[in-house]
Amino acid sequence: MTTLTCPAPDCGSPRKVGQHMCWDCWDALPADTRRVLAIRDHLAVARVQLLHQQLADTVPLHEIEIDL
């Protein structure tokens, strides 16, 4: 079985299937960002892609915003 890791740079903590990131990194996101990422609709994949793009661009977790 493959262990999934948190996509946040410098983290690498394990995460569960269905989670975008580990609990510590998830808690570091702004509340509005967490709320928007939790919505499951036709834009959900696009929002996760925006999250991963901002993580790749090394945006600090507390500054990540998802506007979809």
Side-chain angles (χ1 to χ4, degrees), residues 17-45:
V17 172
Q19 290 180 332
H20 300 301
M21 48 191 12
C22 72
W23 285 113
D24 289 335
C25 291
W26 180 258
D27 287 341
L29 293 173
D32 288 340
T33 299
R34 292 192 312 264
R35 181 187 51 77
V36 169
L37 285 168
I39 299 170
R40 296 184 182 253
D41 61 8
H42 66 285
L43 296 175
V45 172

Side-chain angles (χ1 to χ4, degrees), residues 5 8-9 15 22 28 33 36-37 43 46-47 52 55 61 65 68:
T5 57
R15 67 179 176 93
C22 72
T33 299
V36 169
L37 285 168
L43 296 175
R47 286 190 287 268
H52 283 269
L55 291 171
L61 293 174
E65 294 181 3
L68 279 183

